[in-house]
Amino acid sequence: KDLLTGLMMVSGNDAAEAIAEHFAGTAGDFGVLMTARAREMGLRNTRFRNPHGLTELNHFSSAYDLAMMARHALEKGEFARLVCTQEATVCGNDPAGKAINKELHNTNYLLFSYQWADGVKTGTTSAAGKCLVSSATRYGQQLIAVVLHSDDRWGDSQRLLEYGFKNFSLRNFAPAGETVRYLPVEGGLQDTVPLAPVRDLKLVVRNADLKTVKTVVNTVPTVTAPVPAGTIVGSLTVTRGMEVFGRVPLVTTVEVPKAPFWRRLLLRGLFR
């Protein structure tokens, strides 16, 4: 934990080396593992030669790839808590064995200057210039910005994040479990069964497009009892014109048992 704190809060290259050697034997071998993980994530414009980012031949990444890495890492609770920490103390011993405490102050100045900021990492080399992968959360919507080789990484990052918050919104178009339609049931104890999305359908949409965004429900015409709860019978799609923004399966939310034989005869009009 101390190594990760030193690595992420104050760009501890020594911590990066120690972590890499522990897991892979050498820093270079750890770079190979990092590159392989990037490929697993579908990131094609990244290659790691070391674990800390210091300039090295064929060591590179892109703004998009860095954003995808940050999004993935921020899903880890411990990582998310660490990268928004402004100050921390790590404890250890000096070469003589005397206990010492080291006060650390996060090098991400955005955490101190922008009230919505909650990450992520600075980076500076002579070749790459001043860089920042930043994140901010406002009213439940988290955005990531990546600035590379910037003359004003704090201002550029804040302007990018403000642009995102101003022009895009996170909307839940189909809350999980919320009934969107009732489907006819043949031969059941109930005539209909409620349908709901199997999960939230949360999408980021440009505010200017909100008036033209539509939700479309497609289902089978009917179902025949017995109908188990959780049966997939259709989908809810969010569209704008011919463009599909997102789709979620619709499932039955309750079980509908098969009706007794005499009731089915009544429903068919065979008994008077």
Side-chain angles (χ1 to χ4, degrees):
K1 183 178 180 179
D2 285 347
L3 285 171
L4 290 173
T5 301
L7 172 66
M8 297 305 299
M9 286 188 62
V10 294
S11 298
N13 296 330
D14 51 352
E17 290 272 352
I19 293 169
E21 290 175 5
H22 173 74
F23 281 103
T26 69
D29 287 340
F30 193 72
V32 173
L33 296 178
M34 293 170 69
T35 302
R37 184 70 184 95
R39 295 294 178 272
E40 290 175 4
M41 296 170 62
L43 309 181
R44 302 299 176 187
N45 296 307
T46 294
R47 177 175 294 166
F48 295 105
R49 295 299 193 191
N50 60 59
H52 41 60
L54 294 180
T55 304
E56 190 168 334
L57 184 65
N58 288 325
H59 180 104
F60 57 85
S61 191
S62 67
Y64 175 83
D65 283 10
L66 290 169
M68 294 302 101
M69 291 179 218
R71 184 175 71 171
H72 176 78
L74 286 167
E75 294 175 353
K76 315 297 182 182
E78 189 64 30
F79 179 90
R81 286 188 291 272
L82 175 57
V83 296
C84 72
T85 301
Q86 296 181 350
E87 299 176 342
T89 302
V90 293
C91 306
N93 299 295
D94 65 14
K98 181 181 178 181
I100 56 172
N101 294 331
K102 180 73 172 178
E103 301 293 331
L104 303 180
H105 302 273
N106 203 309
T107 58
N108 182 4
Y109 178 71
L110 212 62
L111 294 174
F112 303 89
S113 62
Y114 183 50
Q115 63 173 321
W116 311 105
D118 51 14
V120 177
K121 186 71 188 71
T122 57
T124 306
T125 66
S126 57
K130 294 182 179 180
C131 307
L132 177 65
V133 179
S134 59
S135 66
T137 303
R138 182 188 294 179
Y139 309 130
Q141 180 178 0
Q142 186 173 32
L143 301 180
I144 295 170
V146 180
V147 169
L148 306 177
H149 214 292
S150 170
D151 293 329
D152 179 18
R153 57 179 161 184
W154 318 118
D156 287 342
S157 297
Q158 183 170 331
R159 284 186 286 273
L160 278 171
L161 292 165
E162 281 296 315
Y163 174 85
F165 285 126
K166 180 180 179 181
N167 290 282
F168 297 85
S169 297
L170 176 65
R171 300 295 179 95
N172 191 356
F173 288 91
E178 184 175 288
T179 299
V180 297
R181 177 171 291 186
Y182 288 86
L183 191 65
V185 178
E186 295 182 359
L189 285 177
Q190 299 170 209
D191 294 332
T192 62
V193 60
L195 309 182
V198 69
R199 63 176 181 276
D200 288 341
L201 182 57
K202 293 183 178 180
L203 301 170
V204 174
V205 179
R206 188 184 296 271
N207 294 337
D209 295 335
L210 284 173
K211 291 183 179 180
T212 57
V213 171
K214 297 180 179 180
T215 58
V216 179
V217 174
N218 290 299
T219 68
V220 298
T222 62
V223 288
T224 302
V227 183
T231 302
I232 297 177
V233 293
S235 64
L236 183 149
T237 306
V238 177
T239 66
R240 183 173 68 89
M242 299 298 293
E243 184 179 6
V244 175
F245 284 165
R247 181 179 286 114
V248 63
L250 294 177
V251 298
T252 56
T253 59
V254 298
E255 178 185 1
V256 181
K258 191 173 184 178
F261 178 72
W262 62 267
R263 178 176 173 132
R264 282 182 278 136
L265 290 177
L266 282 175
L267 290 174
R268 294 173 184 172
L270 299 183
F271 284 169
R272 299 290 182 183

